């Protein structure tokens, strides 16, 4: 019987780095690791499959979907690791490296990043970009990026970060780089939230009118 290596060792060994050069001369580096770190949070259609209100769905109906995704904030992306460097680490290096925790960072970021990318790909492919709104601050620093600092000062800073995020432009995933970039076709996060709320309110009113619960 073949003995399989522990998942952690299998995951660490499968990493690869390569670089792509484009026609304009610019290059882009790719640092890849085994997909097991995101497999624990797959994108699932279970909720849709269990709710008969969603089916049958015609291709033209996908524009009716609204998806609002609210993040809780992450530390500023610093691109601290690469595949060549991490390939030289042992187990302890993955657990703790120069004040950082690469394994935890990879697991925590990969899960929600891959979900964001999958949904973005779906909505962009269906030409329904404006039906998906992801609001996330990925530039937090210090205590504001921590998940366990609940002092009054830090909570106030988080409130201010949230208010500032409302004024920032809506971003969407660049499917080439995987990074979030401002979407020039949309307004601020605050404006898009108001737009979403108005559409939901109109839909709710239309359903109640159809049932005869309110007058037109």
């Amino acid at each position: 019987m073949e003995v399989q290596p522990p998942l952690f060792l299998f995951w660490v060994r499968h990493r690869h780095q390569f670089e792509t050069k484009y026609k304009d001369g610019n290059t882009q580096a790719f640092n890849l690791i085994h997909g097991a770190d995101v497999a624990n949070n797959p994108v699932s259609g279970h909720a849709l499959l269990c709710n008969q209100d969603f089916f049958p769905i015609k291709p033209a109906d996908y524009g009716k979907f609204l998806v609002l995704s609210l993040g809780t904030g992450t530390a500023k992306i610093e691109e601290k690791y690469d595949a060549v460097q991490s390939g030289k680490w042992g187990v302890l290096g993955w657990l703790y490296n120069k004040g950082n925790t690469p394994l935890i960072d990879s697991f925590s970021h990969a899960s929600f990043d891959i979900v964001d990318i999958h949904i973005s790909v779906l909505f962009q492919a269906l030409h329904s970009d404006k039906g998906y709104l992801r609001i996330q601050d990925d530039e937090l620093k210090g205590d504001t990026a921590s998940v366990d600092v609940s002092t009054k000062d830090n909570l106030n800073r988080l409130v201010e970060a949230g208010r500032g995020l409302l004024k920032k432009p809506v971003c969407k995933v660049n499917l080439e780089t995987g990074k979030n970039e401002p979407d020039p076709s949309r307004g601020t996060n605050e404006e898009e939230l108001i737009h979403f709320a108005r559409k939901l309110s109109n839909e709710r009113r239309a359903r109640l009118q159809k049932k005869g619960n309110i007058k037109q």
Side-chain angles (χ1 to χ4, degrees):
M1 181 177 67
E2 181 182 0
V3 178
Q4 294 294 331
L7 176 60
F8 173 77
L9 295 179
F10 180 74
W11 178 78
V12 169
R13 290 172 183 167
H14 288 71
R15 79 287 178 286
H16 186 64
Q17 182 187 63
F18 66 92
E19 192 174 80
T20 297
K21 187 173 183 179
Y22 297 98
K23 292 182 179 180
D24 59 7
N26 291 325
T27 59
Q28 180 180 351
F30 293 84
N31 292 278
L32 310 178
I33 56 177
H34 187 264
D37 70 326
V38 297
N40 63 331
N41 188 10
V43 178
S44 172
H46 178 72
L48 294 180
L49 295 176
C50 292
N51 191 331
Q52 297 301 316
D53 290 341
F54 286 99
F55 290 95
I57 297 176
K58 298 178 180 179
D61 292 336
Y62 283 100
K64 298 178 181 179
F65 283 91
L66 293 178
V67 175
L68 172 61
S69 176
L70 300 177
T72 56
T74 62
K76 185 175 182 179
I77 299 175
E78 301 179 51
E79 298 183 353
K80 295 177 288 189
Y81 318 120
D82 63 52
V84 173
Q85 176 189 19
S86 63
K88 302 175 183 177
W89 297 341
V91 174
L92 293 180
W94 275 97
L95 295 176
Y96 188 82
N97 191 286
K98 298 180 181 179
N100 300 307
T101 52
L103 183 61
I104 295 176
D105 290 346
S106 298
F107 269 88
S108 61
H109 284 79
S111 292
F112 56 70
D113 281 348
I114 201 66
V115 172
D116 184 24
I117 291 174
H118 281 176
I119 298 177
S120 294
V121 168
L122 174 63
F123 275 79
Q124 290 184 42
L126 296 171
H127 305 287
S128 302
D129 301 38
K130 295 184 179 180
Y132 174 54
L133 176 60
R134 168 69 172 169
I135 299 180
Q136 167 78 318
D137 191 336
D138 55 8
E139 296 186 351
L140 298 179
K141 299 178 181 179
D143 287 346
T144 57
S146 176
V147 296
D148 58 0
V149 180
S150 57
T151 63
K152 183 177 180 180
D153 287 343
N154 194 47
L155 292 177
N156 287 334
R157 284 193 291 268
L158 287 171
V159 170
E160 290 304 313
R163 289 173 176 168
L165 188 57
L166 286 174
K167 305 301 180 182
K168 292 183 178 180
V170 171
C171 292
K172 72 175 181 179
V173 174
N174 182 319
L175 301 183
E176 292 291 330
T177 65
K179 296 181 179 179
N180 281 308
E181 300 175 350
D183 184 351
S185 68
R186 304 174 77 172
T188 64
N189 289 317
E190 183 176 33
E191 292 170 340
E192 285 297 302
L193 282 173
I194 293 174
H195 176 66
F196 264 47
R198 185 176 292 115
K199 292 191 71 172
L200 290 173
S201 178
N202 292 339
E203 177 64 22
R204 174 64 174 169
R205 179 175 293 274
R207 291 187 182 188
L208 290 175
Q209 288 176 348
K210 186 176 180 180
K211 293 180 179 180
N213 293 341
I214 61 174
K215 297 180 180 180
Q216 297 187 9

